[in-house]
Amino acid sequence: MDNMIVVRDFVKKYGDFTAVDHVSFEVERGSIFAFLGPNGAGKSTTINTLCTIFEKTSGTLLIDGKDLSRDKDAVRSVIGVVFQESTLDSKMTVEENLTMHGHFYGLPKSLINERIRFVLEIVDLSEWRKAMVTSLSGGMKRRVEIARSLLHQPKMLFLDEPTTGLDPQTRANIWEYIARLQKEQQLTIFLTTHYMEEAEISDKVAVMDHGRIIAFDTPRALKQRYTKDKAQLISSDGPALEAALRQHDLAFEGYGGHYAVDLGAADLPRFLEVISEHRPCIHELEINKGTLNDVFLEITGKDIRG
Amino acid sequence: MRIVGALWLRNIKLFARNRVQLVLLLIMPFFYLYLLSTIFQSTAVESPINYVLAGIVIIVVFQTSLNIATSTIEDIVSGYMKEVLVSPVKRMQIAAGQMLSSTTIASLQGVLILIIGYFIGMRYTSVLTPLAILGFMIMVGLVFSAFGLFLAAAVKNSQTFQIVSVAITTPITFLCGVYVPLSLLPEGLRYVALFNPMTYATAFFRALSLEKMSLPADELIAEQLAFKVSGFVITPQISILIVFSFGVLFLLLSTLAFSKVDFSRINRTPGSKDIFQQ
């Protein structure tokens, strides 16, 4: 039993509308799993069902070997959740929020204090223990929520867009905590995000659209399958370079000296040949690796969703 | 029990931290006392100040305990309820914590008003009266916080809730004999008032705190501490039974509704967003 999460034929309907349509996947224990998809793809429905807030319509969902519809409380005590929107008790202090959480999960009173110190240290908020939640910045609130979700030492952590609306520094910071946590505590992490580069830290990525999983693999494999590297170059002798690219059967765009060349895995040797032949007239060369963002757009298309 | 206690403490703290609310809740009753005792002087009531004060105490207990519904709705809308719902806490425990804290606050307010009532001349002949009063305030607090929680669980949406809450509390408040003497109501409304549980809570509480429980029926009716419905007299003793049954009914309904609420159907954000776009 190496899987932390097992989902089989999961269906969730709202009236006639099918939000999640026969989805199956597994999440390995101790791994980071990223769940991507455009708005309305069924991600939130899936994560909310896994967190025991929503009821499934049909299918089997297991977390840590426990059935979600039969053993809700057992599941609840092994998971930690950071929701998309803040779920802090804003009129209370950081400490009161954490203490309350400790009570909810039945931690012994003597242990709560010690745990609070520990989790606040993880997110660097030890000095803010007595502060009111309303006095914290957006990033700090997120960190408090992460700290809170760790207080009862869950085996499984759900992060639903944990960095939405935060500045780049705070985002980087939060991912650093998450990566460290995963390593130190052997946590299994299930995350959703809109920032594709953030999904790079995960071991497996699932892309969901229209209620189905349409791609499922490691970030590396997905990039290999769905993206091409692109070379941007500037040449002082445009016509000669164009001719050479055509001759070597390399697809490109551009004119008048500026070109973008698609590089499939097999194209590289020929491309290098062109470069070495034309080296004197090439001023700039930049090779961009395909990103998960490209993968995402490639799979889900570019239409704007609601 | 520990979770109920923790939730209770949290709500009490929340209440204590809202200073403006705290001050207003203490001042408003005296405004009404001043206003109403003049109105009630025109009725067949002896010692109108005591009579009115008793009414105000019980209506304050009613309003405060009903406020629980508002605070539960707020917790749902602010997202905090989600944190509670993904934890292994039982819904029953949440309901109990919410109801007990609002009952505590409601009774505390009632007691404060009664203490001030003492200084303006309210006296009891029996030492048992204050205890019975406290007991009844706690009961009314529980009854209407159960009712409030039921409303919150049934409505769930904060905008609809405001409308529903006004639509329900206004008639209950004004048709129970506290603000307007029932004898001054038009015939039709007087009849409606007989379906209002607060009418009986008020009548019983007045009879209790004015120590008039053992008065003969026609005197009770004259002071509106008992009601005559087509020959049948509803004595204060029957009144408390009515309040009690109403409370048990809503205690059952609210715990049932609250533990059955499908939170996936809650529209948390005002406006047009649905849950898929959270």
Short mmCIF file of all heavy atoms in Angstrom, two decimals, chain B residues 44-45 51 182-183 212 215-229 231-236:
data_model
loop_
_atom_site.label_atom_id
_atom_site.label_comp_id
_atom_site.label_asym_id
_atom_site.label_seq_id
_atom_site.Cartn_x
_atom_site.Cartn_y
_atom_site.Cartn_z
N ALA B 44 -53.50 48.92 32.11
CA ALA B 44 -53.96 48.51 33.43
C ALA B 44 -52.88 47.80 34.23
O ALA B 44 -53.14 46.84 34.93
CB ALA B 44 -55.19 47.62 33.28
N VAL B 45 -51.65 48.24 34.09
CA VAL B 45 -50.56 47.53 34.74
C VAL B 45 -50.11 48.30 35.96
O VAL B 45 -49.89 49.51 35.90
CB VAL B 45 -49.39 47.39 33.75
CG1 VAL B 45 -48.14 46.94 34.45
CG2 VAL B 45 -49.77 46.44 32.64
N TYR B 51 -42.67 46.13 35.27
CA TYR B 51 -43.34 45.34 34.24
C TYR B 51 -42.58 45.45 32.92
O TYR B 51 -42.28 44.45 32.26
CB TYR B 51 -44.76 45.88 34.09
CG TYR B 51 -45.65 45.10 33.16
CD1 TYR B 51 -46.37 44.02 33.61
CD2 TYR B 51 -45.79 45.49 31.83
CE1 TYR B 51 -47.21 43.31 32.76
CE2 TYR B 51 -46.62 44.80 30.96
CZ TYR B 51 -47.33 43.71 31.44
OH TYR B 51 -48.16 43.02 30.60
N LEU B 182 -50.13 44.19 24.39
CA LEU B 182 -50.99 43.40 23.51
C LEU B 182 -52.40 43.98 23.43
O LEU B 182 -53.07 43.90 22.41
CB LEU B 182 -51.06 41.95 23.99
CG LEU B 182 -49.76 41.14 23.83
CD1 LEU B 182 -49.95 39.72 24.35
CD2 LEU B 182 -49.30 41.12 22.38
N SER B 183 -52.83 44.63 24.53
CA SER B 183 -54.18 45.19 24.54
C SER B 183 -54.32 46.35 23.57
O SER B 183 -55.42 46.71 23.19
CB SER B 183 -54.55 45.63 25.96
OG SER B 183 -53.62 46.61 26.40
N LYS B 212 -45.85 37.08 40.52
CA LYS B 212 -47.31 37.05 40.45
C LYS B 212 -47.84 35.71 39.94
O LYS B 212 -48.95 35.63 39.44
CB LYS B 212 -47.80 38.18 39.52
CG LYS B 212 -47.62 39.54 40.15
CD LYS B 212 -48.16 40.63 39.28
CE LYS B 212 -48.14 41.95 40.06
NZ LYS B 212 -48.49 43.09 39.24
N LEU B 215 -51.34 34.55 41.27
CA LEU B 215 -52.50 35.44 41.19
C LEU B 215 -53.70 34.72 40.57
O LEU B 215 -53.53 33.80 39.78
CB LEU B 215 -52.15 36.65 40.30
CG LEU B 215 -52.16 38.04 40.95
CD1 LEU B 215 -51.18 38.08 42.10
CD2 LEU B 215 -51.80 39.10 39.92
N PRO B 216 -54.93 35.13 40.92
CA PRO B 216 -56.09 34.51 40.25
C PRO B 216 -56.12 34.84 38.76
O PRO B 216 -55.57 35.87 38.33
CB PRO B 216 -57.30 35.14 40.97
CG PRO B 216 -56.76 36.27 41.76
CD PRO B 216 -55.30 36.07 41.98
N ALA B 217 -56.76 33.97 38.01
CA ALA B 217 -56.71 34.03 36.55
C ALA B 217 -57.14 35.38 35.98
O ALA B 217 -56.47 35.92 35.09
CB ALA B 217 -57.54 32.92 35.95
N ASP B 218 -58.24 35.96 36.50
CA ASP B 218 -58.71 37.20 35.88
C ASP B 218 -57.75 38.35 36.09
O ASP B 218 -57.60 39.22 35.23
CB ASP B 218 -60.13 37.53 36.35
CG ASP B 218 -60.27 37.44 37.86
OD1 ASP B 218 -59.47 36.70 38.46
OD2 ASP B 218 -61.17 38.09 38.42
N GLU B 219 -57.03 38.34 37.24
CA GLU B 219 -56.02 39.40 37.45
C GLU B 219 -54.83 39.21 36.52
O GLU B 219 -54.28 40.17 35.97
CB GLU B 219 -55.54 39.40 38.90
CG GLU B 219 -56.46 40.17 39.83
CD GLU B 219 -55.94 40.17 41.28
OE1 GLU B 219 -54.75 40.51 41.46
OE2 GLU B 219 -56.72 39.82 42.17
N LEU B 220 -54.42 37.95 36.32
CA LEU B 220 -53.33 37.66 35.39
C LEU B 220 -53.70 38.11 33.99
O LEU B 220 -52.90 38.69 33.26
CB LEU B 220 -53.03 36.15 35.38
CG LEU B 220 -52.26 35.58 36.56
CD1 LEU B 220 -52.22 34.07 36.48
CD2 LEU B 220 -50.84 36.15 36.60
N ILE B 221 -54.95 37.84 33.61
CA ILE B 221 -55.39 38.21 32.27
C ILE B 221 -55.40 39.73 32.12
O ILE B 221 -54.96 40.28 31.12
CB ILE B 221 -56.78 37.61 31.97
CG1 ILE B 221 -56.65 36.08 31.89
CG2 ILE B 221 -57.35 38.15 30.66
CD1 ILE B 221 -57.97 35.36 31.84
N ALA B 222 -55.83 40.42 33.18
CA ALA B 222 -55.87 41.88 33.13
C ALA B 222 -54.47 42.46 32.93
O ALA B 222 -54.28 43.45 32.23
CB ALA B 222 -56.48 42.43 34.42
N GLU B 223 -53.47 41.81 33.52
CA GLU B 223 -52.09 42.31 33.38
C GLU B 223 -51.37 41.66 32.20
O GLU B 223 -50.16 41.81 32.05
CB GLU B 223 -51.31 42.04 34.68
CG GLU B 223 -51.84 42.85 35.83
CD GLU B 223 -50.73 43.33 36.75
OE1 GLU B 223 -49.55 43.32 36.31
OE2 GLU B 223 -51.03 43.71 37.88
N GLN B 224 -52.10 40.91 31.44
CA GLN B 224 -51.56 40.21 30.28
C GLN B 224 -50.43 39.24 30.63
O GLN B 224 -49.43 39.13 29.93
CB GLN B 224 -51.10 41.21 29.21
CG GLN B 224 -52.29 41.88 28.57
CD GLN B 224 -51.87 43.05 27.71
OE1 GLN B 224 -50.76 43.10 27.23
NE2 GLN B 224 -52.79 43.97 27.52
N LEU B 225 -50.60 38.59 31.75
CA LEU B 225 -49.65 37.55 32.13
C LEU B 225 -50.24 36.18 31.81
O LEU B 225 -49.57 35.17 31.88
CB LEU B 225 -49.33 37.65 33.62
CG LEU B 225 -48.74 39.00 34.05
CD1 LEU B 225 -48.58 39.05 35.56
CD2 LEU B 225 -47.42 39.27 33.36
N ALA B 226 -51.53 36.22 31.47
CA ALA B 226 -52.20 35.00 31.00
C ALA B 226 -53.13 35.43 29.89
O ALA B 226 -53.43 36.60 29.73
CB ALA B 226 -52.96 34.35 32.14
N PHE B 227 -53.55 34.46 29.10
CA PHE B 227 -54.38 34.81 27.93
C PHE B 227 -55.58 33.91 27.89
O PHE B 227 -55.52 32.72 28.24
CB PHE B 227 -53.58 34.66 26.63
CG PHE B 227 -52.24 35.32 26.72
CD1 PHE B 227 -51.12 34.59 27.03
CD2 PHE B 227 -52.13 36.69 26.53
CE1 PHE B 227 -49.89 35.19 27.15
CE2 PHE B 227 -50.91 37.30 26.64
CZ PHE B 227 -49.77 36.55 26.95
N LYS B 228 -56.69 34.49 27.46
CA LYS B 228 -57.91 33.70 27.37
C LYS B 228 -58.22 33.49 25.89
O LYS B 228 -58.38 34.44 25.13
CB LYS B 228 -59.06 34.46 28.04
CG LYS B 228 -60.19 33.55 28.42
CD LYS B 228 -61.15 34.30 29.35
CE LYS B 228 -62.24 33.37 29.83
NZ LYS B 228 -63.10 34.05 30.81
N VAL B 229 -58.19 32.22 25.49
CA VAL B 229 -58.50 31.91 24.10
C VAL B 229 -59.78 31.08 24.07
O VAL B 229 -59.78 29.94 24.51
CB VAL B 229 -57.36 31.12 23.42
CG1 VAL B 229 -57.63 30.96 21.93
CG2 VAL B 229 -56.03 31.80 23.66
N GLY B 231 -62.41 30.89 25.90
CA GLY B 231 -62.80 30.24 27.14
C GLY B 231 -61.69 29.49 27.86
O GLY B 231 -61.76 29.23 29.05
N PHE B 232 -60.60 29.19 27.13
CA PHE B 232 -59.49 28.47 27.76
C PHE B 232 -58.43 29.46 28.23
O PHE B 232 -58.01 30.33 27.47
CB PHE B 232 -58.89 27.50 26.75
CG PHE B 232 -57.75 26.70 27.29
CD1 PHE B 232 -57.96 25.68 28.21
CD2 PHE B 232 -56.45 26.99 26.89
CE1 PHE B 232 -56.90 24.96 28.71
CE2 PHE B 232 -55.38 26.26 27.39
CZ PHE B 232 -55.61 25.25 28.31
N VAL B 233 -57.99 29.33 29.49
CA VAL B 233 -57.00 30.27 30.02
C VAL B 233 -55.60 29.68 29.92
O VAL B 233 -55.34 28.58 30.41
CB VAL B 233 -57.31 30.63 31.49
CG1 VAL B 233 -56.26 31.59 32.02
CG2 VAL B 233 -58.69 31.24 31.61
N ILE B 234 -54.72 30.41 29.23
CA ILE B 234 -53.33 29.98 29.16
C ILE B 234 -52.59 30.61 30.32
O ILE B 234 -52.24 31.79 30.30
CB ILE B 234 -52.69 30.38 27.82
CG1 ILE B 234 -53.48 29.76 26.66
CG2 ILE B 234 -51.24 29.94 27.75
CD1 ILE B 234 -53.04 30.24 25.30
N THR B 235 -52.38 29.82 31.36
CA THR B 235 -51.71 30.33 32.56
C THR B 235 -50.21 30.40 32.31
O THR B 235 -49.70 29.81 31.33
CB THR B 235 -51.96 29.38 33.73
OG1 THR B 235 -51.45 28.09 33.36
CG2 THR B 235 -53.44 29.27 34.06
N PRO B 236 -49.46 31.10 33.17
CA PRO B 236 -48.00 31.12 33.01
C PRO B 236 -47.40 29.72 33.00
O PRO B 236 -46.44 29.46 32.30
CB PRO B 236 -47.53 31.91 34.24
CG PRO B 236 -48.67 32.78 34.59
CD PRO B 236 -49.91 32.03 34.22
#
